[in-house]
């Protein structure tokens, strides 16, 4: 059984002006997502600026999220690291806090071999009982999990169940699903490819777009699974301008700006991320207005 089906939000971590985590606003964002029909919360991922959270903050944000959501929808914690021991530590602690699953990114900077990737992910999986979704995003990590390695992990390691595929390489995803034999739960990691990956057997999306448009992102998936292919496709195509604007600078710079434009008070970014360039902010605001969320 999949950890979740449909639209999971890769949720931002809101900060106060002084850089501290703003738990009051985080709670409001969680309620906004649940009200909008989001099917799962993915906390402390790339969009949540996990790389600039201390370990203590990382785990406190996860703990708060689990308590606030209170079982209404699944909570999946990002616990990946380029250090296997660190990933194991974050994963075991997140399990203690009651998350429903883990999202573990490929080790960045180290650029492990496929053999190293298998050993890394197996070591994490062996340390917990939770289901694990791999995260393949070579544009950010410099490391690509090959389809054969993903299938091997999902076949040989009981609690590794799927992958968030953000390579952008549709041919690679097609090959993955041709080898998967139903053993790999596929989630789109690119908001402009949700519909495409659903047609290949995907279970849903782990989405940046959902931060600002939870209902519409959910509806792309819900309509698809209900057999309304045209309705699903139409929302996907209508969202392309907004998807482009949300990634015209490195994530999560644009999506935090978008939330602030919606008066959701996501706050500033942590260095080395900086505020959005004015020309790109204008482009984002226009896309949000055209999509009907401003």
């Amino acid at each position: 059984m999949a950890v979740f089906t449909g639209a999971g939000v890769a949720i931002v971590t809101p900060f106060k002006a002084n850089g501290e985590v703003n738990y009051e606003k985080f709670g409001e964002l969680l309620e906004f997502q649940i009200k909008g029909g989001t099917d799962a919360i993915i906390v402390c991922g790339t969009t949540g600026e996990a790389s600039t959270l201390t370990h203590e903050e990382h785990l406190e944000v996860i703990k708060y999220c689990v308590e606030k959501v209170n079982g209404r929808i699944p909570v999946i914690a990002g616990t990946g690291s380029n250090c296997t021991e660190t990933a194991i530590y974050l994963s075991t602690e997140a399990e203690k806090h009651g998350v429903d699953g883990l999202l573990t990114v490929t080790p960045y900077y180290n650029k492990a071999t496929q053999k190293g990737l298998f050993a890394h992910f197996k070591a994490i999986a062996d340390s917990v009982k939770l289901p694990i979704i791999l995260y393949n995003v070579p544009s950010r990590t410099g490391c690509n999990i090959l389809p054969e390695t993903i299938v091997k992990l999902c076949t040989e390691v009981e609690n590794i169940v799927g992958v968030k595929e953000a390579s952008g390489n549709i041919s690679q995803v097609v090959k993955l699903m041709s080898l998967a034999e139903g053993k790999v739960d596929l989630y789109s990691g690119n908001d402009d490819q949700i519909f495409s990956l659903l047609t290949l057997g995907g279970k849903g999306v782990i989405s940046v777009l959902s931060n600002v448009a939870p209902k519409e992102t959910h509806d792309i998936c819900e309509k698809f699974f209900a057999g309304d292919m045209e309705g699903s496709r139409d929302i996907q195509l209508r969202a392309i301008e907004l998807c482009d604007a949300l990634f015209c600078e490195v994530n999560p710079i644009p999506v935090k700006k978008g939330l602030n434009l919606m008066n959701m008070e996501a706050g500033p970014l942590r260095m080395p991320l900086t505020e959005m360039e004015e020309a790109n902010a204008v482009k984002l605001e226009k896309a949000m207005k055209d999509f009907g969320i401003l």
Side-chain angles (χ1 to χ4, degrees):
M1 184 183 214
V3 183
F4 77 96
T5 300
V9 61
I11 199 161
V12 304
T13 302
F15 296 123
K16 299 177 182 178
N18 65 3
E20 294 177 358
V21 176
N22 190 333
Y23 286 101
E24 179 183 355
K25 295 303 174 185
F26 188 41
E28 291 175 9
L29 291 175
L30 290 169
E31 294 300 331
F32 173 66
Q33 288 298 317
I34 292 171
K35 183 179 179 181
T38 291
D39 299 292
I41 304 291
I42 293 79
V43 61
C44 290
T46 305
T47 312
E49 295 178 76
S51 59
T52 52
L53 296 174
T54 67
H55 290 169
E56 292 77 15
E57 287 174 324
H58 192 134
L59 294 171
E60 187 59 35
V61 170
I62 291 170
K63 180 175 182 286
Y64 178 89
C65 183
V66 170
E67 292 175 351
K68 184 68 174 178
V69 172
N70 194 27
R72 287 176 286 175
I73 56 176
V75 172
I76 298 157
T79 55
S81 173
N82 66 331
C83 171
T84 306
E85 288 188 8
T86 300
I88 289 172
Y89 167 71
L90 292 173
S91 298
T92 54
E93 292 300 308
E95 183 173 46
K96 293 174 187 175
H97 289 316
V99 299
D100 299 285
L102 304 173
L103 180 71
T104 55
V105 71
T106 50
Y108 37 89
Y109 189 76
N110 298 345
K111 297 181 72 172
T113 63
Q114 297 301 304
K115 178 181 177 181
L117 290 173
F118 183 90
H120 171 80
F121 288 121
K122 185 177 187 303
I124 298 168
D126 287 347
S127 73
V128 295
K129 295 180 180 178
L130 292 168
I132 292 174
I133 299 170
L134 310 172
Y135 182 16
N136 191 33
V137 57
S139 64
R140 293 192 79 121
T141 65
C143 185
N144 182 38
I145 319 177
L146 294 178
E148 294 84 354
T149 305
I150 294 171
V151 173
K152 182 178 170 67
L153 282 161
C154 290
T155 302
E156 297 184 13
V157 184
E158 184 178 3
N159 56 328
I160 296 181
V161 298
V163 63
K164 175 186 177 183
E165 239 302 336
S167 68
N169 185 339
I170 292 293
S171 296
Q172 179 169 296
V173 179
V174 170
K175 184 174 183 180
L176 167 64
M177 297 309 282
S178 76
L179 299 172
E181 297 181 348
K183 297 173 183 174
V184 179
D185 292 338
L186 172 67
Y187 298 93
S188 176
N190 292 320
D191 286 314
D192 60 352
Q193 295 179 347
I194 304 170
F195 181 81
S196 299
L197 266 62
L198 291 176
T199 66
L200 293 171
K203 298 289 186 181
V205 61
I206 295 177
S207 171
V208 174
L209 173 65
S210 185
N211 279 280
V212 295
K215 181 182 185 304
E216 292 83 356
T217 311
H218 166 81
D219 285 352
I220 293 173
C221 299
E222 183 177 63
K223 287 180 182 293
F224 183 92
F225 292 127
D228 182 5
M229 306 285 280
E230 184 175 353
S232 173
R233 183 198 63 206
D234 287 351
I235 301 172
Q236 174 74 91
L237 295 178
R238 190 166 64 85
I240 292 301
E241 179 191 5
L242 179 54
C243 292
D244 288 346
L246 287 169
F247 288 91
C248 68
E249 291 189 27
V250 68
N251 178 52
I253 292 173
V255 74
K256 270 201 156 177
K257 178 66 174 179
L259 285 166
N260 289 334
L261 287 170
M262 297 169 71
N263 296 316
M264 299 293 286
E265 298 182 47
L269 300 131
R270 281 190 175 176
M271 291 277 281
L273 300 184
T274 54
E275 293 304 312
M276 199 171 190
E277 297 288 344
E278 183 59 33
N280 288 330
V282 170
K283 175 182 176 180
L284 174 63
E285 186 171 5
K286 178 183 181 299
M288 293 176 70
K289 287 179 177 176
D290 289 348
F291 195 68
I293 55 175
L294 270 186

